Amino acid sequence: MKTLYLTVLLIFFSLLAVAQEQDSTATYKKRVLESTEVDFLMSYYKQDGIHSAVAGGNGMEELTDITPTIVVAMPLNDDDVLTIDAGLSAYSSASSGNINPFDSNTPSPWQASSGASASDMLTTLVMGYSHSSDDRNSIWNAHVSGSTEYDYSSIGFGGGYTKLFNNKNTEVTVSGNAYLDKWRPIYPKELQDYYDNGYDLNGGIFNRFGITGNQDYSPDRFVPHSKKNRNSYSLSFSFSQVATKKMQFSLFADILYQQGLLSTPYQRVYFADVADSFINEFHLADDIERLPDNRFKIPVGARLNYYINQWLVVRTYYRYYTDDWGLSSHTANIELPVKLNDRFTVYPMYRYYTQQGSKYFAPYNTHLSTEVYYTSDYDLSTFNAQQYGFGVSYTDIFAAARIWGFGIKNIDLRYNHYTRSDGLDANIVSFGIKFVQQ
């Protein structure tokens, strides 16, 4: 994996050098990016629900996530821009803490666990490069990325090409990406101890707790995953057109393919035809989520922006999604930016989402042990969701206000409330500020 990462970096910077040489004799032209820009982004997300996937579709889904990100865009010359995107995502989750709920004397799917899996931090780094032609009608870009967290790591790379026609009123983009991921699987504690003990109830948590219900607990279907890789590939197409002085629209389509370990190792499943075993209130798993090792996805959609007057613009979005796991969805979004003056804009927004669940999903304790694939993750179930919110944006194209030699170009603050028909609710606050070097 490290060798692949170094090879991608060498190719990336070799292409960068070639692109810079190609336009070395170009005449004067306006720079693509006049000076270095820095974006600082921060989001706070909090959710709760009643269908924890870690507990097989039953239990609290309390989660808090804080995500600070810094994006730096630097002009290398008139035509080339280097972008570095670095971010963290620190979360605390009562649900994932229940991978091992038995660090408590009274384990329960409705009680937060203080185990090691109750919190984690995702670290990401993306390096991107873009080159524009002399006439600014052709743009190509490439990127490499890496991310890691406690039980997961990823390396990604990709690129794209954009062509503008018709006095830049028409734009066509083609891009492709690949992500090579690897799990470091962790499993529900009771299954791990049962397997480590040679399919026996002596040792581990079974020496500390008594089993109620079916005392002959024997989850013999559980075997750790032999495959630990997950690879994802995508090809994207988009078409954008300025239709009139007031209307612009775009169309897009993606083809995505995944292969490898696509199920989540620590998500429990319970079988209706197997007698239930408990430790205190916690239902002991019959197996972990099992899903096919490949998945084919196709999302298609459109955007339409319409200028009403100098104070109001209508922004709309629609997407249809389908895959070969039997899941399909529709997403519709509307945003109404209202310009209060030259610097301040407010924008209410609304999003509606409806999903037909995967053929591999069944609720808590309703799967059968004769099935090959099964999950009780409600993200793959049938549900409707709504998200509504409000935002305020401050923009100063002259960046008059300054901090440490950087002018403040834009400040953006948003709040959204998300609610789902299966009982999950969330609140999201996001903040962004853009600085430009002066």
Side-chain angles (χ1 to χ4, degrees):
M1 190 71 74
K2 291 182 179 178
T3 302
L4 176 62
Y5 185 61
L6 291 173
T7 301
V8 171
L9 281 176
L10 288 173
I11 295 173
F12 178 79
F13 286 109
S14 297
L15 290 172
L16 186 153
V18 170
Q20 288 180 318
E21 290 175 4
Q22 286 179 341
D23 283 344
S24 59
T25 59
T27 58
Y28 173 79
K29 58 215 169 191
K30 182 176 176 63
R31 293 167 67 92
V32 174
L33 184 66
E34 292 295 334
S35 58
T36 298
E37 294 184 350
V38 179
D39 286 274
F40 175 75
L41 310 171
M42 175 74 77
S43 68
Y44 174 81
Y45 174 87
K46 186 175 180 62
Q47 73 165 44
D48 201 1
I50 57 174
H51 294 297
S52 167
V54 175
N58 180 53
M60 64 191 305
E61 296 179 87
E62 183 179 328
L63 181 146
T64 300
D65 183 78
I66 299 175
T67 309
T69 303
I70 294 178
V71 182
V72 181
M74 299 176 288
L76 302 177
N77 51 48
D78 288 350
D79 306 321
D80 304 308
V81 177
L82 177 67
T83 303
I84 299 174
D85 182 337
L88 300 173
S89 178
Y91 77 81
S92 174
S93 170
S95 176
S96 65
N98 278 329
I99 295 172
N100 177 17
F102 308 105
D103 56 357
S104 166
N105 291 325
T106 56
S108 167
W110 304 103
Q111 177 176 301
S113 170
S114 58
S117 56
S119 61
D120 196 6
M121 179 176 291
L122 170 68
T123 303
T124 62
L125 178 64
V126 182
M127 297 180 63
Y129 167 75
S130 68
H131 171 78
S132 299
S133 63
D134 289 343
D135 60 8
R136 303 298 186 246
N137 286 329
S138 298
I139 306 165
W140 70 262
N141 64 81
H143 69 83
V144 293
S145 65
S147 64
T148 183
E149 55 185 314
Y150 176 72
D151 62 337
Y152 202 81
S153 60
S154 174
I155 292 176
F157 53 90
Y161 180 75
T162 299
K163 185 68 176 179
L164 289 88
F165 306 92
N166 188 25
N167 294 322
K168 297 183 172 57
N169 288 320
T170 305
E171 181 179 309
V172 177
T173 298
V174 180
S175 63
N177 295 283
Y179 295 94
L180 310 178
D181 307 344
K182 187 172 184 178
W183 284 96
R184 293 182 287 275
I186 54 176
Y187 299 102
K189 179 63 174 175
E190 67 272 29
L191 294 177
Q192 186 68 66
D193 282 2
Y194 184 75
Y195 178 81
D196 289 345
N197 294 333
Y199 294 98
D200 193 274
L201 295 179
N202 293 315
I205 64 170
F206 304 111
N207 286 346
R208 296 175 46 224
F209 296 96
I211 296 176
T212 59
N214 174 28
Q215 297 184 19
D216 186 23
Y217 177 59
S218 55
D220 297 337
R221 291 203 60 176
F222 172 70
V223 177
H225 291 289
S226 57
K227 296 181 179 179
K228 298 180 175 64
N229 293 329
R230 171 186 291 181
N231 300 327
S232 304
Y233 311 95
S234 67
L235 185 62
S236 302
F237 307 88
S238 68
F239 171 82
S240 179
Q241 177 67 49
V242 178
T244 69
K245 291 182 178 181
K246 292 188 174 184
M247 185 174 69
Q248 179 183 15
F249 71 89
S250 61
L251 307 172
F252 62 86
D254 300 292
I255 301 173
L256 303 99
Y257 176 73
Q258 292 181 295
Q259 63 86 212
L261 177 49
L262 304 186
S263 55
T264 304
Y266 50 77
Q267 294 186 172
R268 292 174 173 85
V269 168
Y270 302 101
F271 298 134
D273 55 345
V274 174
D276 298 338
S277 300
F278 295 86
I279 289 179
N280 196 50
E281 293 183 352
F282 203 92
H283 192 170
L284 301 183
D286 294 322
D287 197 9
I288 55 174
E289 176 183 81
R290 305 282 180 181
L291 292 168
D293 60 4
N294 56 79
R295 190 177 187 183
F296 188 69
K297 310 176 183 179
I298 299 180
V300 295
R303 297 178 184 272
L304 176 66
N305 297 338
Y306 191 82
Y307 174 88
I308 302 295
N309 54 44
Q310 61 179 328
W311 308 114
L312 178 62
V313 176
V314 178
R315 296 176 181 168
T316 62
Y317 168 90
Y318 170 78
R319 189 190 76 155
Y320 172 74
Y321 168 92
T322 185
D323 65 29
D324 59 355
W325 287 7
L327 192 148
S328 62
S329 68
H330 299 270
T331 306
N333 188 85
I334 185 169
E335 187 174 299
L336 300 172
V338 179
K339 192 172 183 180
L340 302 181
N341 54 42
D342 290 341
R343 296 190 177 184
F344 286 94
T345 301
V346 297
Y347 40 90
M349 62 197 80
Y350 175 76
R351 175 179 178 269
Y352 179 77
Y353 178 84
T354 183
Q355 174 174 296
Q356 177 63 44
S358 168
K359 57 188 174 183
Y360 305 121
F361 171 83
Y364 167 72
N365 209 20
T366 57
H367 278 292
L368 298 177
S369 60
T370 54
E371 298 173 22
V372 177
Y373 301 117
Y374 33 80
T375 178
S376 293
D377 182 351
Y378 273 71
D379 286 347
L380 296 177
S381 70
T382 297
F383 64 84
N384 301 321
Q386 298 183 72
Q387 179 173 307
Y388 44 90
F390 189 81
V392 180
S393 178
Y394 166 86
T395 302
D396 180 7
I397 60 174
F398 301 107
R402 300 179 63 183
I403 298 178
W404 300 318
F406 284 82
I408 299 176
K409 188 174 182 179
N410 178 261
I411 301 174
D412 192 76
L413 178 65
R414 299 188 180 206
Y415 166 77
N416 279 276
H417 178 72
Y418 175 81
T419 182
R420 216 158 82 172
S421 59
D422 64 2
L424 188 144
D425 290 283
N427 292 290
I428 312 107
V429 178
S430 59
F431 170 79
I433 183 168
K434 180 187 288 290
F435 299 95
V436 58
Q437 189 177 37
Q438 293 182 328

